[in-house]
Amino acid sequence: MAAAVATRSGSSSGGMVDKHGIDSGKYVRYTPEQVEALERVYAECPKPSSARRQQLLRECPILSNIEPKQIKVWFQNRRCRDKQRKEASRLQAVNRKLTAMNKLLMEENERLQKQVSQLVHENAYMRQQLQSASMANDTSCESAVTTPQNPLRDANNPSGLLSLAEETLTEFLSKATGTAVDWVQMPGMKPGPDSVGIVAVSHGCRGVAARACGLVNLEPSKIVEILKDRPSWFRDCRSLEVFTMFPAGNGGMVELAYMQMHAPTTLVPARDFWTLRYTTTLEDGSLAVCERSLSGTGGGPNAAAAHQFVRAEMLPSGYLVRPCEGGGSIVHIVDHLDLEAWSVPEVLRPLYESSRVVAQKMTTAALRHVRQIAQETSGEVVYALGRQPAVLRTFSQRLSRGFNDAISGFSDDGWSLMAGDGVEDVIITANSTKKLRSCINSPNNTFSVPGGVICAKASMLLQSVPPALLVQFLREHRSEWADYNVDAYSAASLKAATCSLPGHRSVRFSGNQTIMPLAQTIENEEILEVVRLESQPLTQEEVMLTKDVHLLQLCSGIDENALGSCFQLVFAPIDDLFPDDAPLVSSGFRVIPLDLKSDGLPSSRTLDLASSLEVGSTTNPNSDASSEGCGANSRSVLTIAFQFPYEAHVQESVAAMARQYVRGVVSAVQRVSMALTPSHPGSGRLVGSGQRVLPGSPEAGTLARWICQSHNYHLGVDLLSCGNDSGDALLKLLWHHQDAILCCSLKAKPVFTFANQSGLDMLETSLVALQDISLDKIFDEPGQKALHAEFNKLVEQGYAYLPAGGFCFSGMGRQVSYDQAVAWKVLAEDGTEHCLAFCFSNWSFI
């Protein structure tokens, strides 16, 4: 009979006693029945308490001969074995990844060696020819450096499709694993077991091309199925239709497909492709999917809509998926395109001439997508609110698709251009065919908006503005550019059959927003979240009836390590019940760099510095960083598109509102861009009373000196211990002071104009939103009475101490306690009263 043995630590000779008084050399043998009983308890509770173990001994007579401390040791050993098994499994998985990655690197090294040999041979040939006559030299040089191009083939004859498919496969494989293209590793994409893979871009070939290879923990057939469904992972793909297919050898399939792509901005036309796609199994068991364009610019089934597109060419591209020992697959992806850059304005041609753009938007996007699904399938990813990964992924796709639809405005989707007001800065289009779903009563409660949806969109060129920082600011400081009542209007329009204009709504918003993350991709290049815009009730009856607005929001490119070619913030109103079939009317921003040599400014620049929007003069403390990522000549294109539901009888009014609203957003973005530009000239104007102050600017340094001098003048002691009385030195100490230091204006209703970091933490706000908080808001009724009681003393002697051990409130309504608080007048250089300053010592949240 088999028996389980638990060995106590120590000598096996007996006589040694551990600290619990048990013979450390004693072997405890368990019968199979005892092990089975203990395993049942372990399955329910791996770490039972002492009481639970005592209960186990009482309820299981077969364990009566086992001491309680021996039972404890059994559970300890059992947990240890579990941990060891999990660690062994993890190490085996890492070892498999490293083995496969090593295989990839060896293949890449072999390819590079072949390429070096080829270059050496070509170099020797060139040297030989240089010794010939000049005419022969010219001819031979031309023949040596010219790469034969593969002209488009006429595939109208079905008998020629299979031979064209085989030729395409050969050319694709020579790019995926051979030396047909001179590949250069893309900067920032280092190979490793946890990286997306090995990513390279073309150098000196026709068109733009990118290649990626990596490890994916999925079967080859599943990967091929996912990658062939291009609209599911390629956000710029509007549609992909297969119109003809017939079987080929080795269980293969030849297909004729038509693909349409969205335009990335309103300034360029969209692209389409008419291609042959060939799927087959290779001799080594690998699966290959290759694709290339067919001849003719008018080919394809949708000739009526062809005028909206520019026919682009796909050179032999595709996917090679090889099974990996121990499970999973090695995936090779090649994208080689000619996007007809001649058809776009010269300033935007980098979008169509950069292989890096193709690598980031197509090639690595495909590899990341299959890796994301692999992790979701294995259970490695757990999302908030108990949502299934596929549901959240669908939300992200719908948000992106809606935003792309709004930017492109295809006529066959129902969009039509509305008349302008004489100023062509904002484009207004209308779509009366959109069907929306109401989620109030039941999932089946549907209605068509009587009018439809209006879209207001605009594009602008940005100079020297870090795209990631701009999108990050727009995300975190919505109140600086958005009208929450417009968001409330859009949200209400999706809930009811009537659409009232924003000006008719009686909802007041606090300006605060709460961001609740839902999901993010494995490398944080994309984040899905819910944003709650907090309303303020106007009447007592509205206190219990919340009118908060919820937005579903998708951010991409804001991660500091991201090397993105597109940075965007897309959002749509959503019901607070968050149903799976919620209607999404997407709006948002998209920033596309035109100079892809830079990756943006360092992340040390804080977003609060953007409060310089309302300060006339700013000297950026990070201006030296411009040489690192956003030079004076770096450019990007910003596209803004906002959608508004409307009823037919108010279409013109909604269109006028949309036009003015987007113009306001454009103006706000321009102010933000000026603040975020690494170096923009200032007027040298001092901060006036009641204005917000920017840390690091001359105004902030001046105010810091006034605060410290006034504190010494009134109270007779120094606020800061600083040997250097320069404004910048004082500001640095003041900003990092442990006590909360606040300044408020001298008005009938004082509002806060400055706070150090501790003060911002206490008020739970930022410099951008600081002026929205008034002095009376942070004190309750007893606190306001205490402040008024000390007001005469403050006026007469210039300072006053508030009652010790008092309480106040943060901007979010949380109660704060403090040991001591003092207020004093801040005097300017000429002795005039500038503002009031407060210092709260040893504060904490209750």
Side-chain angles (χ1 to χ4, degrees):
M1 178 182 295
V5 179
T7 304
R8 305 292 301 196
S9 62
S11 171
S12 61
S13 62
M16 292 188 64
V17 179
D18 66 9
K19 63 180 180 179
H20 300 295
I22 297 178
D23 184 358
S24 61
K26 183 179 180 181
Y27 289 95
V28 181
R29 293 184 177 275
Y30 298 88
T31 66
E33 292 78 9
Q34 290 173 331
V35 173
E36 183 180 355
L38 291 171
E39 288 286 356
R40 284 198 300 269
V41 177
Y42 183 84
E44 299 173 0
C45 179
K47 194 173 183 179
S49 63
S50 176
R52 179 70 181 93
R53 294 195 299 270
Q54 292 288 350
Q55 180 186 359
L56 174 63
L57 291 175
R58 290 194 301 269
E59 294 178 353
C60 297
I62 61 174
L63 299 175
S64 59
N65 64 325
I66 307 297
E67 295 181 12
K69 291 183 179 179
Q70 292 172 342
I71 296 292
K72 179 180 179 181
V73 170
W74 185 93
F75 277 98
Q76 289 175 344
N77 292 340
R78 182 65 176 81
R79 290 195 298 271
C80 183
R81 289 196 301 272
D82 243 5
K83 184 177 180 181
Q84 289 174 343
R85 276 197 295 266
K86 290 178 181 177
E87 180 66 10
S89 177
R90 186 188 69 82
L91 291 176
Q92 288 173 359
V94 172
N95 184 62
R96 286 195 299 269
K97 284 185 178 181
L98 291 174
T99 301
M101 182 60 68
N102 181 62
K103 183 178 180 181
L104 278 177
L105 292 175
M106 290 178 65
E107 291 176 351
E108 181 70 4
N109 183 59
E110 182 181 355
R111 186 192 68 81
L112 291 174
Q113 289 179 350
K114 291 180 180 178
Q115 188 171 349
V116 168
S117 299
Q118 180 179 345
L119 291 174
V120 170
H121 176 73
E122 291 179 358
N123 185 55
Y125 182 75
M126 292 289 292
R127 287 178 181 273
Q128 180 183 359
Q129 296 302 314
L130 285 173
Q131 298 174 1
S132 304
S134 58
M135 184 62 67
N137 175 53
D138 294 339
T139 307
S140 61
C141 286
E142 181 180 354
S143 63
V145 299
T146 302
T147 302
Q149 297 183 354
N150 292 313
L152 293 178
R153 294 264 303 274
D154 185 3
N156 294 327
N157 184 2
S159 62
L161 289 178
L162 185 55
S163 62
L164 182 60
E166 292 292 345
E167 179 184 326
T168 303
L169 176 63
T170 302
E171 293 186 40
F172 158 66
L173 292 177
S174 67
K175 297 175 184 178
T177 60
T179 60
V181 173
D182 184 9
W183 298 113
V184 178
Q185 182 172 321
M186 196 167 76
M189 306 297 292
K190 296 182 179 179
D194 296 322
S195 69
V196 67
I198 303 173
V199 183
V201 293
S202 62
H203 174 69
C205 74
R206 177 190 173 197
V208 288
R211 188 192 67 168
C213 52
L215 311 175
V216 179
N217 192 24
L218 288 174
E219 294 301 315
S221 58
K222 179 65 175 177
I223 295 175
V224 168
E225 178 186 350
I226 295 171
L227 293 178
K228 289 180 69 173
D229 185 16
R230 191 175 277 126
S232 69
W233 55 265
F234 184 28
R235 298 295 171 80
D236 286 353
C237 180
R238 182 197 184 202
S239 63
L240 176 65
E241 300 175 82
V242 177
F243 287 90
T244 302
M245 62 175 64
F246 64 88
N250 295 328
M253 182 70 66
V254 176
E255 303 165 301
L256 300 186
Y258 177 64
M259 181 178 70
Q260 295 178 346
M261 292 175 60
H262 288 285
T265 176
T266 60
L267 304 175
V268 296
R271 265 58 181 161
D272 66 349
F273 297 85
W274 175 236
T275 63
L276 176 145
R277 186 167 67 181
Y278 179 37
T279 305
T280 186
T281 303
L282 305 182
E283 293 180 356
D284 61 356
S286 303
L287 291 180
V289 180
C290 57
E291 191 171 10
R292 72 176 300 166
S293 286
L294 296 175
S295 62
T297 58
N302 199 357
H307 67 281
Q308 301 179 85
F309 297 89
V310 171
R311 178 59 53 85
E313 180 184 352
M314 180 181 294
L315 287 83
S317 308
Y319 323 112
L320 173 64
V321 186
R322 299 185 294 173
C324 188
E325 295 181 6
S329 306
I330 299 176
V331 183
H332 298 258
I333 302 176
V334 174
D335 291 302
H336 193 175
L337 309 172
D338 185 347
L339 296 172
E340 305 294 339
W342 59 267
S343 63
V344 301
E346 185 175 356
V347 69
L348 299 178
R349 287 182 185 174
L351 299 181
Y352 298 88
E353 296 175 338
S354 171
S355 293
R356 182 172 171 180
V357 172
V358 174
Q360 292 167 338
K361 296 182 71 173
M362 288 187 68
T363 317
T364 58
L367 196 53
R368 284 193 177 105
H369 183 72
V370 290
R371 292 182 73 235
Q372 181 80 25
I373 292 180
Q375 291 203 3
E376 292 172 355
T377 304
S378 64
E380 297 179 37
V381 182
V382 179
Y383 291 136
L385 303 181
R387 296 282 176 166
Q388 293 296 321
V391 174
L392 297 177
R393 193 164 55 248
T394 300
F395 273 128
S396 300
Q397 293 167 354
R398 290 175 57 199
L399 278 172
S400 293
R401 181 174 295 275
F403 187 56
N404 282 325
D405 286 342
I407 291 176
S408 299
F410 294 114
S411 59
D412 53 340
D413 282 338
W415 291 100
S416 59
L417 187 66
M418 294 185 65
D421 60 353
V423 182
E424 302 301 328
D425 56 339
V426 178
I427 301 172
I428 303 294
T429 56
N431 191 332
S432 60
T433 64
K434 282 214 169 187
K435 308 295 182 183
L436 302 180
R437 178 182 293 272
S438 171
C439 306
I440 294 180
N441 299 321
S442 70
N444 296 323
N445 181 17
T446 62
F447 67 91
S448 298
V449 175
V453 176
I454 281 177
C455 177
K457 51 191 176 182
S459 293
M460 56 191 292
L461 192 66
L462 302 178
Q463 188 84 13
S464 305
V465 180
L469 200 58
L470 175 59
V471 173
Q472 194 174 355
F473 179 91
L474 296 173
R475 171 179 177 256
E476 297 184 5
H477 300 282
R478 188 181 186 87
S479 60
E480 291 294 324
W481 56 267
D483 183 346
Y484 287 4
N485 279 294
V486 173
D487 293 318
Y489 157 77
S490 297
S493 301
L494 303 179
K495 292 184 178 181
T498 58
C499 302
S500 59
L501 292 175
H504 300 158
R505 295 187 54 79
S506 60
V507 180
R508 183 174 62 182
F509 290 88
S510 65
N512 297 322
Q513 65 172 2
T514 303
I515 298 178
M516 298 167 284
L518 283 179
Q520 62 187 29
T521 51
I522 53 180
E523 295 185 356
N524 298 330
E525 72 276 1
E526 207 171 69
I527 303 172
L528 182 67
E529 55 199 10
V530 172
V531 180
R532 179 167 63 90
L533 308 180
E534 300 177 7
S535 63
Q536 289 182 335
L538 298 176
T539 63
Q540 188 64 31
E541 291 76 13
E542 292 181 353
V543 174
M544 301 302 294
L545 183 62
T546 178
K547 291 189 177 181
D548 293 348
V549 174
H550 293 81
L551 305 174
L552 186 64
Q553 185 166 272
L554 183 68
C555 310
S556 60
I558 64 173
D559 183 70
E560 62 183 30
N561 297 318
L563 298 174
S565 62
C566 179
F567 305 79
Q568 64 180 19
L569 180 72
V570 181
F571 52 87
I574 193 169
D575 190 86
D576 53 4
L577 298 178
F578 199 43
D580 293 349
D581 60 348
L584 299 179
V585 180
S586 303
S587 302
F589 307 85
R590 173 181 292 158
V591 188
I592 306 176
L594 299 177
D595 180 7
L596 294 173
K597 296 180 181 179
S598 61
D599 297 324
L601 287 176
S603 59
S604 58
R605 296 186 61 191
T606 62
L607 288 177
D608 283 337
L609 298 186
S611 58
S612 61
L613 296 177
E614 298 191 7
V615 179
S617 163
T618 321
T619 302
N620 197 313
N622 294 289
S623 59
D624 293 340
S626 61
S627 62
E628 296 184 26
C630 189
N633 295 321
S634 64
R635 296 173 298 180
S636 55
V637 58
L638 168 67
T639 300
I640 303 173
F642 283 71
Q643 298 190 74
F644 306 87
Y646 73 93
E647 291 183 2
H649 66 282
V650 293
Q651 179 180 4
E652 293 299 329
S653 300
V654 174
M657 179 273 293
R659 181 181 288 108
Q660 290 304 118
Y661 181 68
V662 170
R663 282 174 177 165
V665 172
V666 169
S667 299
V669 171
Q670 288 173 336
R671 293 196 304 271
V672 172
S673 301
M674 287 295 296
L676 298 182
T677 302
S679 58
H680 66 312
S683 61
R685 180 175 58 86
L686 290 177
V687 171
S689 177
Q691 286 184 306
R692 286 177 277 185
V693 181
L694 170 67
S697 67
E699 297 84 357
T702 302
L703 180 60
R705 187 172 66 252
W706 292 351
I707 291 172
C708 296
Q709 291 175 348
S710 300
H711 186 276
N712 181 276
Y713 174 79
H714 292 302
L715 284 81
V717 295
D718 291 331
L719 177 64
L720 305 172
S721 299
C722 180
N724 186 352
D725 60 353
S726 67
D728 290 341
L730 290 173
L731 176 61
K732 184 176 181 180
L733 288 176
L734 186 71
W735 182 253
H736 296 289
H737 198 279
Q738 62 181 2
D739 295 336
I741 300 175
L742 313 170
C743 292
C744 67
S745 58
L746 295 171
K747 295 182 178 179
K749 185 177 181 180
V751 295
F752 289 105
T753 59
F754 173 79
N756 67 350
Q757 185 61 64
S758 180
L760 296 176
D761 293 340
M762 187 184 81
L763 295 181
E764 295 187 293
T765 187
S766 66
L767 281 177
V768 177
L770 182 62
Q771 202 168 9
D772 297 331
I773 303 176
S774 58
L775 180 61
D776 59 353
K777 185 177 180 181
I778 72 169
F779 291 106
D780 57 8
E781 187 173 349
Q784 292 179 22
K785 289 181 179 179
L787 182 62
H788 292 158
E790 301 293 332
F791 186 75
N792 290 334
K793 187 183 298 185
L794 180 63
V795 172
E796 294 175 1
Q797 64 184 25
Y799 72 96
Y801 285 96
L802 302 183
F807 300 92
C808 63
F809 294 89
S810 74
M812 303 295 290
R814 283 211 290 175
Q815 194 172 24
V816 179
S817 66
Y818 56 86
D819 289 350
Q820 189 180 43
V822 61
W824 68 96
K825 296 179 182 177
V826 176
L827 306 178
E829 300 288 354
D830 58 1
T832 58
E833 298 177 354
H834 180 268
C835 61
L836 286 179
F838 292 83
C839 180
F840 295 87
S841 303
N842 298 326
W843 64 270
S844 62
F845 292 113
I846 299 178

